Amino acid sequence: MITFFGALLLLIAGYAVYSKFVERVFVIDDSNRTPAYTKRDNFDFVPMNWWRGNMIQLLNIAGLGPIYGAVMGALYGPVAFIWIVIGTIFAGAVHDYFSGMLSMRHGGAQYPSIVGRYLGNTVKSLITVVSLVLSVLVAAAFTAGPAQLIAQLTPLSFTVALLIIFGYFLLATLLPINRIIGKIYPLLGGILLFMAVAIGVSLLFQDNPIPNLTLTNLHPQELPIWPLLMVTISCGAISGFHCTQSPIVACTMKRESHGRKIFYGAMVIEGIIALVWAAAGMTFFNGTGGLQEALAQGGPSYVVNEISISLLGTLGGILAILGVIILPITTGDTALRSSRMILTEGLSKFFNMEGKVKVLIVTLSVAAPALFLATIDYTFLWRYVGWTNQVVATVMLWTATMYLLKNKKLHWICGVPALFMTGVVCTYIFYAPEGLHLSYKLSVMIGFSLTAVVLGWYVRQIFIHRHANLAKAANKAA
């Protein structure tokens, strides 16, 4: 239990201290007019209060991610606490902050455009495709689950439930952000927070204590911690999907100083939610072995339902049902909204994308494949989302690193986590079943070798930019 409370305090301290350090490195200026005013269209660009932006960001990036992922990650034991704390403070929250603030600084630019500006057009083209595929898969995954549950609990068929959810998706995507998303997300965010707090408090009164830190891998199947834990717990530590969502809120910021509260703050809140559910998974079923049996019986949704009903009674059952239905939908709708914004921005270089009809056509072009994937057994595709998600996160961290390098700032705050995540994705791709499925030892060797190559590129970039800055200084002096 000491480990759990220590991790909780570290997350809070991370926001209180490290977020301010990151903000100072970025250098904010509230005299700058934000895109919410300079590009105001009362559609995507609408000024909103920071607390509303924080709740929208939280629901955009969270959904069931920090619950399901944390429950699965709890199979590794208390070592999951370490990853949630370190990942959130030094990687995930930094990743989210820079993805949002760079979007704001560049007029509400979408993630691929930011990547292209600092890593080149080749990487931009690749990441545009990857981002759209990731968003469509997320929208599909976070539609099928709620539709299945609605079909089980009501007279509605799965198909009807699916169409109703997608009908809402279209409304949320096509209407101004302050019409639906801006109004209901604060309420739904409150449900998510209440659920986490109630579960956390209830754990303190259970017979089974929350386990303390041990570096021993407690996974029942003895799966390796590196790199699987870092991919299993993505939402709640670091997730590439977040950088596709941050520009949505960046277009609504009233001032630059709100960025720390919105982006860094939402990620810390998500880390706390993941911490609570990881602790619940380890504790409620009396160890990782019991958790594994529960997951085998009905998956993460069964585990969440059992924990909620047992600890919170009827209220817990209602919250569990609301959570499993509503929270994924709040991520799916903004996944389509970000897809529409990315595609619109990309096409605007070739076509005039103004007009409601064109917006509708672009929206349907990303909604159609998501709807199709939600109707089939796409489990084999979903297996690729995990590492794809972390590849996107890694690219965003390198993008922020290049931004800091070019502006002569402390680039290591992004460069170190970027290098760490490079090692994660390189090793995972070679080891995982959906990758090349090589032996663990060989995968680690290849992963670290590729990371060393990237490190060499990073060091070279440092010297290149240092030389360029010295040359500029010399020219000015002359």
Side-chain angles (χ1 to χ4, degrees):
M1 190 170 292
I2 294 176
T3 302
F4 172 76
F5 281 109
L8 181 61
L9 289 175
L10 285 173
L11 284 171
I12 296 173
Y15 174 74
V17 179
Y18 196 67
S19 70
K20 292 182 180 179
F21 173 71
V22 171
E23 185 182 59
R24 284 197 296 271
V25 171
F26 184 80
V27 184
I28 60 170
D29 184 355
D30 277 343
S31 67
N32 293 333
R33 296 187 70 205
T34 64
Y37 294 106
T38 60
K39 291 188 173 183
R40 183 166 186 169
D41 60 4
N42 293 324
F43 184 56
D44 291 321
F45 295 86
V46 183
M48 290 196 295
N49 295 326
W50 73 264
W51 62 268
R52 198 179 295 274
N54 174 273
M55 283 291 100
I56 293 175
Q57 177 72 1
L58 177 62
L59 267 295
N60 286 0
I61 66 177
L64 287 176
I67 300 177
Y68 281 15
V71 166
M72 297 294 291
L75 289 171
Y76 293 90
V79 69
F81 294 156
I82 299 178
W83 169 236
I84 290 172
V85 171
I86 295 177
T88 295
I89 295 174
F90 299 106
V94 174
H95 165 280
D96 291 9
Y97 181 80
F98 274 90
S99 61
M101 295 301 286
L102 287 179
S103 173
M104 181 272 301
R105 277 282 173 87
H106 295 300
Q110 298 302 301
Y111 168 60
S113 292
I114 300 171
V115 171
R117 182 181 291 267
Y118 295 102
L119 295 181
N121 288 328
T122 300
V123 181
K124 174 186 176 181
S125 299
L126 176 63
I127 214 66
T128 298
V129 175
V130 173
S131 299
L132 288 172
V133 170
L134 177 62
S135 295
V136 168
L137 285 175
V138 168
F142 285 0
T143 303
Q148 289 172 353
L149 185 56
I150 291 173
Q152 293 172 6
L153 299 175
T154 70
L156 299 176
S157 66
F158 171 76
T159 301
V160 172
L162 201 65
L163 292 175
I164 291 174
I165 293 174
F166 263 88
Y168 161 75
F169 279 2
L170 290 176
L171 282 176
T173 304
L174 293 171
L175 288 177
I177 190 169
N178 59 341
R179 289 287 182 86
I180 294 180
I181 293 175
K183 292 183 182 299
I184 67 172
Y185 270 35
L187 173 63
L188 299 180
I191 293 175
L192 180 64
L193 293 175
F194 177 80
M195 192 175 180
V197 171
I199 293 295
V201 172
S202 299
L203 289 176
L204 303 180
F205 300 96
Q206 298 303 300
D207 294 333
N208 299 326
I210 300 174
N212 285 318
L213 179 62
T214 172
L215 297 180
T216 305
N217 183 1
L218 301 180
H219 199 290
Q221 297 176 329
E222 297 183 349
L223 295 178
I225 294 174
W226 172 275
L228 299 187
L229 178 60
M230 291 77 191
V231 176
T232 302
I233 302 181
S234 53
C235 290
I238 177 172
S239 168
F241 179 69
H242 296 188
C243 66
T244 67
Q245 302 300 293
S246 294
I248 295 177
V249 182
C251 296
T252 70
M253 290 170 55
K254 287 186 173 182
R255 57 183 63 179
E256 292 190 358
S257 58
H258 290 169
R260 184 175 70 90
K261 301 173 185 177
I262 293 173
F263 301 114
Y264 202 107
M267 185 61 231
V268 169
I269 293 173
E270 186 181 54
I272 292 173
I273 294 171
L275 189 72
V276 168
W277 281 100
M282 298 176 203
T283 307
F284 183 81
F285 297 99
N286 197 25
T288 57
L291 176 59
Q292 175 66 48
E293 293 177 2
L295 287 169
Q297 186 171 346
S301 60
Y302 171 79
V303 169
V304 171
N305 191 59
E306 283 294 303
I307 292 174
S308 300
I309 292 176
S310 299
L311 296 184
L312 304 179
T314 303
L315 175 62
I318 295 173
L319 288 176
I321 292 173
L322 285 174
V324 174
I325 292 176
I326 296 176
L327 295 179
I329 293 175
T330 62
T331 300
D333 60 4
T334 52
L336 286 185
R337 191 179 189 95
S338 65
S339 298
R340 186 261 298 164
M341 294 172 74
I342 290 172
L343 197 56
T344 299
E345 186 177 74
L347 293 175
S348 63
K349 295 182 179 181
F350 307 99
F351 308 100
N352 180 2
M353 297 305 298
E354 295 181 0
K356 295 181 179 180
V357 175
K358 292 179 181 179
V359 171
L360 176 61
I361 292 173
V362 172
T363 301
L364 291 176
S365 69
V366 292
L371 178 60
F372 172 72
L373 289 173
T375 62
I376 65 174
D377 182 12
Y378 60 92
T379 306
F380 70 100
L381 289 175
W382 185 246
R383 292 170 59 187
Y384 292 88
V385 171
W387 68 264
T388 303
N389 185 46
Q390 299 305 61
V391 167
V392 170
T394 304
V395 172
M396 181 61 233
L397 284 172
W398 282 122
T399 300
T401 302
M402 290 301 104
Y403 162 79
L404 294 173
L405 261 176
K406 290 183 177 181
N407 289 276
K408 297 182 286 186
K409 299 179 180 181
L410 295 178
H411 52 84
W412 56 264
I413 66 170
C414 292
V416 172
L419 200 63
F420 177 86
M421 290 305 298
T422 299
V424 168
V425 296
C426 287
T427 305
Y428 187 87
I429 290 171
F430 285 95
Y431 176 68
E434 59 269 26
L436 298 179
H437 206 188
L438 302 180
S439 69
Y440 181 66
K441 184 177 181 180
L442 180 58
S443 298
V444 171
M445 291 175 60
I446 297 174
F448 275 76
S449 298
L450 291 174
T451 304
V453 173
V454 175
L455 174 60
W457 168 82
Y458 181 26
V459 172
R460 183 171 180 270
Q461 292 299 314
I462 293 174
F463 281 105
I464 289 174
H465 284 85
R466 183 175 298 174
H467 178 74
N469 291 331
L470 289 174
K472 287 180 181 178
N475 290 334
K476 286 182 179 180

